[in-house]
Amino acid sequence: GVAAAGGGGGGEAGVAGVASADASPGAGTVTPAVAEAGAVLTAAAAAAVAEMTAAAVSGAVSPDAALARALSTPHPDSASPLFQHLIVDACRSDPKLLAEFLDRLFNTLNWTITEFSVALKEMLDAMGRRQAPDMRQHQRKCTVMFELSVTLERVLEFLSLELPAAFLNSSSLDLRRLTESLLFVLGHTTTGPDAALFDQTLKMQLAPLEKISRAPILAPIAGILLNLDEAEERASAAAAA
């Protein structure tokens, strides 16, 4: 599922996680770029709300109902289309802001995957010591880091759909960063020495399959590849026309 069409709220949660000053070790205070992004989104959201309120008053519809409709249309079960529109506009209008946002996104995804592997090892060690309280604690940590990783991937999937030029531009380094991050995820969740902990956890069913499995973390990668392939085909067709 592409985040824009069925991400289950992943877009909002992922952006919030990337923008958080505590998203990764040593993040420190909020950077000027992140603060600027927040200010842009806040101003845009306020303008959108004001516009909807005026329309609601003129149409005899309550402002709350108009805002709720805008937030939930056309996909009530996915991330807010209004928020998606605002983040795309902010990133499209400020390439520097987009570059810094993507840099933070790649770094945070790499960190969460690393922490997920650490949590898996801790959970397996706790199982070997047969310490049930520790097991439950490590299971929760594994679930949180796994879900955060999936959410960050969905943000990348959303951006690859809405702003593919950010990755396909010949002068951009973001395609290389994207490739490195996706290979890092694949290396820890498919086959190979780095994936041994994940594979062992699945085989021993140490975590609920509805919480941790291969499908959720691999699906956004497939979506990213499809989005960029389609965007490249459209660009080639337009150049040949």
Side-chain angles (χ1 to χ4, degrees), residues 4-96:
E12 290 176 86
V15 173
V18 175
S20 169
D22 298 322
S24 59
T29 57
V30 177
T31 64
V34 174
E36 181 183 354
V40 170
L41 292 175
T42 300
V49 170
E51 181 179 348
M52 287 184 292
T53 300
V57 171
S58 62
V61 178
S62 72
D64 288 344
L67 179 58
R69 186 179 302 128
L71 291 173
S72 62
T73 303
H75 306 291
D77 296 326
S78 71
S80 161
L82 175 62
F83 185 84
Q84 292 177 348
H85 177 72
L86 294 175
I87 192 67
V88 168
D89 281 353
C91 290
R92 182 177 287 132
S93 62
D94 191 340
K96 182 180 178 181

Side-chain angles (χ1 to χ4, degrees), residues 104-154:
R104 185 67 174 267
L105 181 55
F106 292 135
N107 292 341
T108 307
L109 176 59
N110 292 341
W111 175 76
T112 56
I113 289 294
T114 301
E115 288 298 306
F116 175 60
S117 295
V118 171
L120 289 176
K121 186 177 187 308
E122 292 173 345
M123 182 172 64
L124 290 167
D125 290 343
M127 184 199 66
R129 296 192 302 267
R130 299 185 181 279
Q131 296 179 343
D134 284 351
M135 272 290 293
R136 288 192 291 270
Q137 179 181 352
H138 292 310
Q139 282 176 335
R140 286 194 294 270
K141 181 179 179 182
C142 286
T143 299
V144 168
M145 300 313 298
F146 181 82
E147 292 179 346
L148 180 56
S149 299
V150 172
T151 296
L152 294 171
E153 283 186 289
R154 285 175 172 170

Side-chain angles (χ1 to χ4, degrees), residues 157 160 178 182 186 219-231:
E157 185 183 10
S160 71
L178 176 66
L182 297 187
L186 290 172
I221 296 178
I224 291 169
L225 297 177
L226 290 172
N227 289 340
L228 295 181
D229 182 61
E230 291 176 2

Side-chain angles (χ1 to χ4, degrees), residues 95 163-176 228 232:
L163 299 169
F167 306 102
L168 299 178
N169 190 321
S170 59
S171 63
S172 174
L173 296 177
D174 289 321
L175 180 59
R176 187 174 68 182
L228 295 181
E232 181 68 20

